[in-house]
Amino acid sequence: AKYTFADMAGPVDSDGEGAPVTVLFFAAARQMAGISSAQVVVPLGGTTQDLRHILAQKFTTLAEMVPTITLAVNQEYIQGDVELQGGEEVALIPPISGG
């Protein structure tokens, strides 16, 4: 499978394969990634687990946090692995720490 990454202003994928999703970074994820949003292309039939893998590769500063990040797809929290069709908005919500 081909994984591609593009900034929101850039092309989604040179050959049109895959499902583009908009990723929104919140709180610590935004600080670690250094951006607030990006467009990521997952393989056709790809899932949120595939997206986590891509994000860990593309944003090495997030790699340790990726497994514990809560995902919301189209403003709905998800549990487990969900298939992405393309066009979704996926929010990365890091765990909240404090006392």
Side-chain angles (χ1 to χ4, degrees), residues 29-71:
R30 178 182 292 188
Q31 292 172 342
M32 294 175 120
I35 57 173
S36 60
S37 66
Q39 192 161 56
V40 177
V41 177
V42 296
L44 292 176
T47 65
T48 51
Q49 189 60 38
D50 294 321
L51 178 61
R52 286 180 189 271
H53 178 74
I54 294 167
L55 292 171
Q57 287 185 327
K58 297 297 180 183
F59 298 97
T60 55
T61 55
L62 288 177
E64 288 185 23
M65 184 186 291
V66 166
T68 61
I69 285 178
T70 298
L71 299 181

